[in-house]
């Protein structure tokens, strides 16, 4: 797995939107933070334009992402927000320059499309808070983004959930938004999970659909040789008038009960204030006991 070069003060970092529309005012806090960190924010052409719900047409969003990928002076691309739309442009992007000169792709939610696609190229990326919500995120989430970008050591440790399944494992970290991973099954962007640690999170979904998505991942072999499962925020879940009968954690545990890998709930990632940065593609160590959870990167990232 290739790790893009870490940033240093003075480096340029682009802010673009590959999905939903966003105005300049909504990224002002992010710009201030980047400048405070000593970085130079470069604002893409997709900030402030719209095509219905999108940040410009497919062609405009493709061109903006392509421009930032090909610009050797840009050291990282920070996606401004999620929503929907990245999958509409992924197959139009030429990654030739990116493969030769990789740079950090940063974001979560809909940006899982990019994470998954470039993971299959053997290049690491950064699942982390985005400009749209960094002003409301926890101090730990912001600090973890900074430390990840600058190559500082990161470990996470927290109390174990009663629902956790104990065990220890190592493997490359993959994943992101559950709905996006589900939608990518069968495409060139679908990830391979053998020997890896899968992290998932989701927002605003019906419980029956959580079950549908997990059944689909299971049928696609996602859990067969998986080393570990990390579950972040399953935020604002819904139920029907006739209840599904299980909450999200129970749905997940029942789906994977036949496998012996550790399972972690309430990991600080996803559509929550404490959305810690995770380097997807990095080799990580995960230890889960009844008392605590320890997460760390293995070797040089």
């Amino acid at each position: 797995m290739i790790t893009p070069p870490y940033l240093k003060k003075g480096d340029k970092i682009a802010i673009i939107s590959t999905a939903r529309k966003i105005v300049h005012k909504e990224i002002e806090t992010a710009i201030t933070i980047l400048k405070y960190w000593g970085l130079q924010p470069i604002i893409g052409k997709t900030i402030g334009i719209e095509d219905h719900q999108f940040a410009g047409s497919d062609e405009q969003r493709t061109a903006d992402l392509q421009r930032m990928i090909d610009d050797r002076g840009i050291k990282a691309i920070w996606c401004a927000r999620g929503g929907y739309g990245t999958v509409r442009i992924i197959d139009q992007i030429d990654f030739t320059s990116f493969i030769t000169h990789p740079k950090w792709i940063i974001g979560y939610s809909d940006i899982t499309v990019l994470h998954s696609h470039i993971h299959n190229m053997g290049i690491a990326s950064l699942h982390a808070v985005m400009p749209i919500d960094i002003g409301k995120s926890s101090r730990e989430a912001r600090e973890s983004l900074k430390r990840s970008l600058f190559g500082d050591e990161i470990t996470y440790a927290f109390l174990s959930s009663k629902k956790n399944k104990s065990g220890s494992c190592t493997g490359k970290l993959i994943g992101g938004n559950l709905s996006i991973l589900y939608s990518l099954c069968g495409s060139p962007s679908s990830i391979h999970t053998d020997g890896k640690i899968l992290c998932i999170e989701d927002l605003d979904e019906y419980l029956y659909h959580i079950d549908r998505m997990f059944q689909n991942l299971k049928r696609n072999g996602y859990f067969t040789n998986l080393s570990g499962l990390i579950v972040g925020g399953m935020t604002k879940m819904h139920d029907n008038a006739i209840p599904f009968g299980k909450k999200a954690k129970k749905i997940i545990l029942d789906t994977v009960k036949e496998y012996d890998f550790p399972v972690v709930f309430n990991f600080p990632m996803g559509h929550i204030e404490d959305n810690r940065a995770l380097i997807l593609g990095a080799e990580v160590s995960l230890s889960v006991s009844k008392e605590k959870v320890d997460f760390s990167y293995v070797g040089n990232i």
Side-chain angles (χ1 to χ4, degrees):
M1 185 65 63
I2 297 171
T3 302
Y6 293 110
L7 303 191
K8 59 184 184 301
K9 288 189 176 182
D11 280 346
K12 295 177 181 179
I13 179 169
I15 300 179
I16 65 170
S17 182
T18 59
R20 190 179 292 272
K21 63 184 178 183
I22 188 169
V23 297
H24 194 278
K25 184 177 181 180
E26 294 176 288
I27 66 169
E28 286 178 352
T29 298
I31 291 172
T32 299
I33 289 171
L34 290 180
K35 289 180 177 178
Y36 180 73
W37 291 349
L39 300 172
Q40 297 184 54
I42 305 298
I43 311 305
K45 294 181 179 181
T46 46
I47 305 301
I49 64 172
E50 62 179 87
D51 180 29
H52 301 288
Q53 66 176 267
F54 300 114
S57 66
D58 290 351
E59 292 76 17
Q60 288 172 314
R61 299 195 320 282
T62 299
D64 209 20
L65 177 56
Q66 190 70 64
R67 185 182 306 111
M68 299 308 183
I69 283 176
D70 293 341
D71 187 338
R72 296 279 300 277
I74 301 294
K75 302 304 181 183
I77 299 172
W78 197 10
C79 296
R81 68 171 307 163
Y84 169 70
T86 308
V87 73
R88 295 175 60 92
I89 68 172
I90 191 68
D91 292 326
Q92 281 68 57
I93 300 299
D94 181 356
F95 286 93
T96 302
S97 174
F98 182 81
I99 293 170
T100 307
H101 304 285
K103 59 189 71 178
W104 291 103
I105 302 289
I106 311 157
Y108 70 107
S109 193
D110 194 62
I111 312 309
T112 300
V113 175
L114 279 167
H115 291 313
S116 299
H117 198 77
I118 67 175
H119 178 83
N120 290 340
M121 299 175 185
I123 298 172
S125 59
L126 190 54
H127 186 282
V129 63
M130 295 186 286
I132 186 71
D133 52 18
I134 195 167
K136 299 175 289 185
S137 65
S138 68
R139 179 184 62 81
E140 290 82 3
R142 294 193 298 271
E143 183 65 18
S144 69
L145 171 59
K146 180 184 178 183
R147 293 181 65 84
S148 296
L149 285 174
F150 285 93
D152 296 328
E153 184 178 356
I154 292 180
T155 61
Y156 298 134
F158 48 92
L159 295 177
S160 193
S161 166
K162 292 181 179 179
K163 299 282 188 182
N164 285 354
K165 187 175 177 181
S166 297
S168 297
C169 62
T170 59
K172 285 185 172 61
L173 186 66
I174 54 172
N177 181 262
L178 173 61
S179 295
I180 300 298
L181 295 172
Y182 165 77
S183 73
L184 295 176
C185 284
S187 78
S189 305
S190 181
I191 52 178
H192 304 285
T193 60
D194 286 3
K196 299 178 183 179
I197 297 174
L198 175 66
C199 64
I200 60 106
E201 60 84 25
D202 219 327
L203 167 75
D204 199 28
E205 284 288 349
Y206 277 84
L207 292 170
Y208 83 91
H209 194 46
I210 297 296
D211 187 72
R212 173 192 283 165
M213 291 189 287
F214 259 82
Q215 292 298 328
N216 187 60
L217 295 189
K218 182 177 183 178
R219 296 186 71 215
N220 274 273
Y222 271 48
F223 307 128
T224 304
N225 295 307
L226 192 68
S227 289
L229 178 63
I230 293 173
V231 183
M234 302 299 287
T235 312
K236 297 180 181 178
M237 297 288 105
H238 306 288
D239 209 347
N240 297 103
I242 301 175
F244 183 72
K246 300 177 185 178
K247 299 298 184 183
K249 291 179 182 178
K250 178 64 172 172
I251 291 170
I252 294 168
L253 285 173
D254 281 355
T255 306
V256 303
K257 63 184 178 184
E258 66 194 76
Y259 308 105
D260 61 0
F261 50 73
V263 180
V264 175
F265 291 102
N266 302 334
F267 197 92
M269 63 163 289
H271 291 78
I272 55 177
E273 288 186 6
D274 195 16
N275 182 16
R276 308 282 181 95
L278 294 170
I279 299 177
L280 300 178
E283 189 82 10
V284 302
S285 173
L286 180 67
S287 177
V288 186
S289 69
K290 292 182 179 180
E291 292 75 31
K292 67 174 183 173
V293 174
D294 289 300
F295 173 99
S296 61
Y297 294 105
V298 177
N300 295 322
I301 304 171

